[in-house]
Amino acid sequence: MNNIENLYRQVIMDHYKNPRNKGLKGYPHVHIKNPSCGDDITVEAKIENDVIVEINHQGVGCSICCSSASVLSELLKGKTVVEAKALIKKYFQMIKGEAIVDEEELEEALAYEGVSKFPARIKCATIAWKALERVINGDVDEE
Ligand code: ZN
């Protein structure tokens, strides 16, 4: 394992063991399951004047899924909806193994770059991001 892979692994394990912004508060949310892995996650966001002022998540799943929800909540909190959409798109491109520009904008989310080599884990790394994408698009769950 080289140094950068080791660093990325530490980021993932840190967020898995000490998740940030965990626990729902009742904002508009989306719940997504990934039956192939057992990931089951809900992401909610409070959006005011086109700025994401709060992102929370709750659920169970593998280290990739749960840690990425935590990383996402920190990265996109405080961003405008337009900025968040651009970062989500960039993250999906990275996960698919596509070349991206200004990759440093993804900060800790860069830790999931290696997932592109493991197609079975792509759903794990994108489930929370897909849920948040739906929340900011207003495509939220009813209950
Ligand atoms: Zn998973």
CSV table of all heavy atoms in Angstrom, one decimal, residues 27-60:
chain,number,residue,atom,x,y,z
A,27,TYR,N,-35.7,17.2,8.6
A,27,TYR,CA,-35.7,18.0,7.4
A,27,TYR,C,-36.1,17.1,6.2
A,27,TYR,O,-36.1,15.8,6.3
A,27,TYR,CB,-34.3,18.6,7.1
A,27,TYR,CG,-33.8,19.4,8.3
A,27,TYR,CD1,-32.6,19.2,8.9
A,27,TYR,CD2,-34.6,20.5,8.8
A,27,TYR,CE1,-32.1,20.0,9.9
A,27,TYR,CE2,-34.2,21.3,9.8
A,27,TYR,CZ,-32.9,21.0,10.4
A,27,TYR,OH,-32.5,21.8,11.4
A,28,PRO,N,-36.4,17.7,5.0
A,28,PRO,CA,-36.7,16.8,3.9
A,28,PRO,C,-35.6,15.8,3.6
A,28,PRO,O,-34.4,16.2,3.7
A,28,PRO,CB,-36.8,17.9,2.7
A,28,PRO,CG,-37.2,19.2,3.4
A,28,PRO,CD,-36.4,19.1,4.8
A,29,HIS,N,-36.0,14.6,3.3
A,29,HIS,CA,-35.0,13.5,3.3
A,29,HIS,C,-35.3,12.5,2.1
A,29,HIS,O,-36.4,12.5,1.6
A,29,HIS,CB,-35.0,12.7,4.6
A,29,HIS,CG,-36.2,12.0,4.8
A,29,HIS,ND1,-37.3,12.6,5.5
A,29,HIS,CD2,-36.6,10.7,4.5
A,29,HIS,CE1,-38.3,11.7,5.6
A,29,HIS,NE2,-37.9,10.6,5.0
A,30,VAL,N,-34.3,11.7,1.8
A,30,VAL,CA,-34.4,10.6,0.9
A,30,VAL,C,-33.8,9.4,1.5
A,30,VAL,O,-32.7,9.5,2.1
A,30,VAL,CB,-33.8,10.9,-0.5
A,30,VAL,CG1,-33.7,9.7,-1.3
A,30,VAL,CG2,-34.6,12.0,-1.2
A,31,HIS,N,-34.5,8.2,1.4
A,31,HIS,CA,-34.0,7.0,2.0
A,31,HIS,C,-33.7,6.1,0.8
A,31,HIS,O,-34.5,5.9,-0.1
A,31,HIS,CB,-35.1,6.4,2.9
A,31,HIS,CG,-34.8,5.0,3.4
A,31,HIS,ND1,-35.8,4.1,3.6
A,31,HIS,CD2,-33.6,4.4,3.7
A,31,HIS,CE1,-35.2,3.0,4.0
A,31,HIS,NE2,-33.9,3.2,4.1
A,32,ILE,N,-32.5,5.5,0.8
A,32,ILE,CA,-32.1,4.6,-0.3
A,32,ILE,C,-31.5,3.3,0.3
A,32,ILE,O,-30.7,3.4,1.2
A,32,ILE,CB,-31.1,5.2,-1.3
A,32,ILE,CG1,-31.6,6.5,-1.9
A,32,ILE,CG2,-30.7,4.2,-2.4
A,32,ILE,CD1,-30.7,7.1,-3.0
A,33,LYS,N,-31.8,2.2,-0.3
A,33,LYS,CA,-31.2,0.9,0.1
A,33,LYS,C,-30.4,0.3,-1.0
A,33,LYS,O,-30.7,0.5,-2.2
A,33,LYS,CB,-32.3,-0.1,0.4
A,33,LYS,CG,-33.0,0.1,1.7
A,33,LYS,CD,-34.0,-1.0,1.9
A,33,LYS,CE,-34.8,-0.8,3.2
A,33,LYS,NZ,-35.8,-1.8,3.4
A,34,ASN,N,-29.3,-0.4,-0.6
A,34,ASN,CA,-28.5,-1.1,-1.6
A,34,ASN,C,-28.5,-2.6,-1.2
A,34,ASN,O,-27.6,-3.0,-0.4
A,34,ASN,CB,-27.1,-0.5,-1.6
A,34,ASN,CG,-26.1,-1.3,-2.4
A,34,ASN,OD1,-26.4,-2.2,-3.2
A,34,ASN,ND2,-24.8,-1.1,-2.1
A,35,PRO,N,-29.5,-3.3,-1.7
A,35,PRO,CA,-29.6,-4.7,-1.2
A,35,PRO,C,-28.4,-5.6,-1.4
A,35,PRO,O,-28.1,-6.5,-0.6
A,35,PRO,CB,-30.8,-5.3,-2.0
A,35,PRO,CG,-31.4,-4.1,-2.6
A,35,PRO,CD,-30.4,-3.0,-2.7
A,36,SER,N,-27.6,-5.3,-2.4
A,36,SER,CA,-26.5,-6.2,-2.7
A,36,SER,C,-25.4,-6.1,-1.6
A,36,SER,O,-24.6,-7.0,-1.4
A,36,SER,CB,-25.9,-5.8,-4.0
A,36,SER,OG,-25.3,-4.5,-4.0
A,37,CYS,N,-25.4,-5.0,-0.8
A,37,CYS,CA,-24.4,-4.9,0.3
A,37,CYS,C,-25.1,-4.8,1.6
A,37,CYS,O,-24.4,-5.0,2.6
A,37,CYS,CB,-23.6,-3.7,0.0
A,37,CYS,SG,-22.3,-3.4,1.2
A,38,GLY,N,-26.4,-4.4,1.7
A,38,GLY,CA,-27.0,-4.2,3.0
A,38,GLY,C,-27.0,-2.8,3.4
A,38,GLY,O,-27.4,-2.5,4.6
A,39,ASP,N,-26.5,-1.9,2.6
A,39,ASP,CA,-26.5,-0.5,2.9
A,39,ASP,C,-27.9,0.0,2.9
A,39,ASP,O,-28.7,-0.3,2.0
A,39,ASP,CB,-25.7,0.3,1.9
A,39,ASP,CG,-24.2,-0.1,1.8
A,39,ASP,OD1,-23.7,-0.6,2.8
A,39,ASP,OD2,-23.7,0.0,0.7
A,40,ASP,N,-28.2,0.9,3.9
A,40,ASP,CA,-29.6,1.4,4.1
A,40,ASP,C,-29.4,2.8,4.7
A,40,ASP,O,-29.0,2.9,5.9
A,40,ASP,CB,-30.3,0.4,5.1
A,40,ASP,CG,-31.7,0.8,5.3
A,40,ASP,OD1,-32.0,2.0,5.4
A,40,ASP,OD2,-32.6,-0.1,5.3
A,41,ILE,N,-29.6,3.8,3.9
A,41,ILE,CA,-29.2,5.1,4.4
A,41,ILE,C,-30.2,6.2,4.1
A,41,ILE,O,-30.9,6.1,3.1
A,41,ILE,CB,-27.8,5.5,3.9
A,41,ILE,CG1,-27.2,6.7,4.7
A,41,ILE,CG2,-27.8,5.8,2.4
A,41,ILE,CD1,-25.8,6.4,5.1
A,42,THR,N,-30.4,7.1,5.0
A,42,THR,CA,-31.3,8.3,4.8
A,42,THR,C,-30.4,9.5,5.0
A,42,THR,O,-29.6,9.6,5.9
A,42,THR,CB,-32.4,8.3,5.9
A,42,THR,OG1,-33.1,7.1,5.8
A,42,THR,CG2,-33.3,9.5,5.6
A,43,VAL,N,-30.6,10.4,4.0
A,43,VAL,CA,-29.9,11.7,4.0
A,43,VAL,C,-30.9,12.8,4.0
A,43,VAL,O,-31.9,12.8,3.3
A,43,VAL,CB,-28.9,11.9,2.8
A,43,VAL,CG1,-28.2,13.2,2.9
A,43,VAL,CG2,-27.9,10.8,2.9
A,44,GLU,N,-30.8,13.8,4.9
A,44,GLU,CA,-31.7,14.9,4.9
A,44,GLU,C,-30.9,16.2,4.8
A,44,GLU,O,-29.7,16.3,5.1
A,44,GLU,CB,-32.5,15.0,6.2
A,44,GLU,CG,-31.6,15.2,7.4
A,44,GLU,CD,-32.4,15.4,8.7
A,44,GLU,OE1,-33.6,15.0,8.8
A,44,GLU,OE2,-31.9,16.0,9.6
A,45,ALA,N,-31.5,17.3,4.3
A,45,ALA,CA,-30.8,18.6,4.2
A,45,ALA,C,-31.8,19.7,4.5
A,45,ALA,O,-33.0,19.6,4.2
A,45,ALA,CB,-30.2,18.8,2.9
A,46,LYS,N,-31.2,20.7,5.2
A,46,LYS,CA,-32.0,22.0,5.4
A,46,LYS,C,-31.4,23.0,4.4
A,46,LYS,O,-30.2,23.3,4.5
A,46,LYS,CB,-31.8,22.4,6.8
A,46,LYS,CG,-32.6,23.7,7.2
A,46,LYS,CD,-32.2,24.1,8.6
A,46,LYS,CE,-33.1,25.3,9.0
A,46,LYS,NZ,-32.6,25.8,10.3
A,47,ILE,N,-32.3,23.5,3.5
A,47,ILE,CA,-31.8,24.4,2.5
A,47,ILE,C,-32.5,25.7,2.7
A,47,ILE,O,-33.7,25.8,2.8
A,47,ILE,CB,-32.1,23.9,1.1
A,47,ILE,CG1,-31.3,22.5,0.9
A,47,ILE,CG2,-31.6,24.9,0.0
A,47,ILE,CD1,-31.7,21.8,-0.4
A,48,GLU,N,-31.7,26.8,2.8
A,48,GLU,CA,-32.3,28.1,3.0
A,48,GLU,C,-31.6,29.1,2.0
A,48,GLU,O,-30.4,29.2,1.9
A,48,GLU,CB,-31.9,28.7,4.4
A,48,GLU,CG,-32.8,28.1,5.5
A,48,GLU,CD,-32.4,28.6,6.9
A,48,GLU,OE1,-31.4,29.2,7.1
A,48,GLU,OE2,-33.2,28.3,7.8
A,49,ASN,N,-32.5,29.8,1.3
A,49,ASN,CA,-32.0,30.7,0.2
A,49,ASN,C,-31.0,30.1,-0.7
A,49,ASN,O,-29.9,30.7,-0.9
A,49,ASN,CB,-31.4,32.0,0.9
A,49,ASN,CG,-32.4,32.7,1.8
A,49,ASN,OD1,-33.6,32.8,1.4
A,49,ASN,ND2,-32.0,33.1,3.0
A,50,ASP,N,-31.2,28.9,-1.1
A,50,ASP,CA,-30.3,28.2,-2.0
A,50,ASP,C,-29.0,27.8,-1.4
A,50,ASP,O,-28.0,27.5,-2.2
A,50,ASP,CB,-30.2,28.9,-3.4
A,50,ASP,CG,-31.4,28.8,-4.3
A,50,ASP,OD1,-32.0,27.7,-4.2
A,50,ASP,OD2,-31.7,29.7,-5.0
A,51,VAL,N,-28.9,27.8,-0.1
A,51,VAL,CA,-27.6,27.4,0.6
A,51,VAL,C,-28.0,26.2,1.4
A,51,VAL,O,-29.0,26.2,2.1
A,51,VAL,CB,-27.0,28.5,1.4
A,51,VAL,CG1,-25.8,28.0,2.2
A,51,VAL,CG2,-26.6,29.7,0.6
A,52,ILE,N,-27.1,25.2,1.4
A,52,ILE,CA,-27.4,24.0,2.2
A,52,ILE,C,-26.8,24.3,3.6
A,52,ILE,O,-25.6,24.2,3.8
A,52,ILE,CB,-26.7,22.7,1.6
A,52,ILE,CG1,-27.2,22.5,0.1
A,52,ILE,CG2,-27.0,21.5,2.4
A,52,ILE,CD1,-26.4,21.4,-0.6
A,53,VAL,N,-27.6,24.6,4.5
A,53,VAL,CA,-27.1,25.0,5.8
A,53,VAL,C,-26.9,23.8,6.8
A,53,VAL,O,-26.1,23.9,7.7
A,53,VAL,CB,-28.0,26.0,6.5
A,53,VAL,CG1,-28.0,27.3,5.7
A,53,VAL,CG2,-29.5,25.5,6.7
A,54,GLU,N,-27.6,22.7,6.5
A,54,GLU,CA,-27.4,21.5,7.3
A,54,GLU,C,-27.6,20.2,6.5
A,54,GLU,O,-28.4,20.2,5.6
A,54,GLU,CB,-28.3,21.5,8.5
A,54,GLU,CG,-27.9,20.7,9.7
A,54,GLU,CD,-28.7,21.0,10.9
A,54,GLU,OE1,-29.2,22.1,11.2
A,54,GLU,OE2,-28.9,20.0,11.7
A,55,ILE,N,-26.7,19.2,6.8
A,55,ILE,CA,-26.9,17.9,6.1
A,55,ILE,C,-26.7,16.9,7.2
A,55,ILE,O,-25.7,16.9,8.0
A,55,ILE,CB,-25.8,17.6,5.0
A,55,ILE,CG1,-25.9,18.7,3.9
A,55,ILE,CG2,-26.0,16.2,4.5
A,55,ILE,CD1,-24.7,18.6,2.9
A,56,ASN,N,-27.7,16.0,7.4
A,56,ASN,CA,-27.6,14.9,8.4
A,56,ASN,C,-27.9,13.6,7.7
A,56,ASN,O,-28.5,13.5,6.6
A,56,ASN,CB,-28.6,15.1,9.5
A,56,ASN,CG,-28.4,16.5,10.2
A,56,ASN,OD1,-27.3,16.8,10.7
A,56,ASN,ND2,-29.4,17.3,10.2
A,57,HIS,N,-27.4,12.5,8.3
A,57,HIS,CA,-27.6,11.2,7.7
A,57,HIS,C,-27.8,10.2,8.9
A,57,HIS,O,-27.4,10.4,10.0
A,57,HIS,CB,-26.4,10.8,6.9
A,57,HIS,CG,-25.1,10.7,7.6
A,57,HIS,ND1,-24.5,9.6,8.2
A,57,HIS,CD2,-24.2,11.8,8.0
A,57,HIS,CE1,-23.4,9.9,8.8
A,57,HIS,NE2,-23.2,11.2,8.7
A,58,GLN,N,-28.4,9.1,8.5
A,58,GLN,CA,-28.7,8.0,9.5
A,58,GLN,C,-28.8,6.7,8.7
A,58,GLN,O,-29.3,6.7,7.6
A,58,GLN,CB,-30.0,8.3,10.2
A,58,GLN,CG,-30.4,7.3,11.3
A,58,GLN,CD,-29.5,7.5,12.5
A,58,GLN,OE1,-29.4,8.6,13.0
A,58,GLN,NE2,-28.8,6.5,13.0
A,59,GLY,N,-28.2,5.6,9.3
A,59,GLY,CA,-28.4,4.4,8.6
A,59,GLY,C,-27.3,3.4,9.0
A,59,GLY,O,-26.5,3.6,9.9
A,60,VAL,N,-27.4,2.3,8.3
A,60,VAL,CA,-26.4,1.2,8.5
A,60,VAL,C,-25.8,0.8,7.2
A,60,VAL,O,-26.5,1.0,6.1
A,60,VAL,CB,-27.1,0.0,9.2
A,60,VAL,CG1,-27.5,0.3,10.6
A,60,VAL,CG2,-28.2,-0.6,8.4
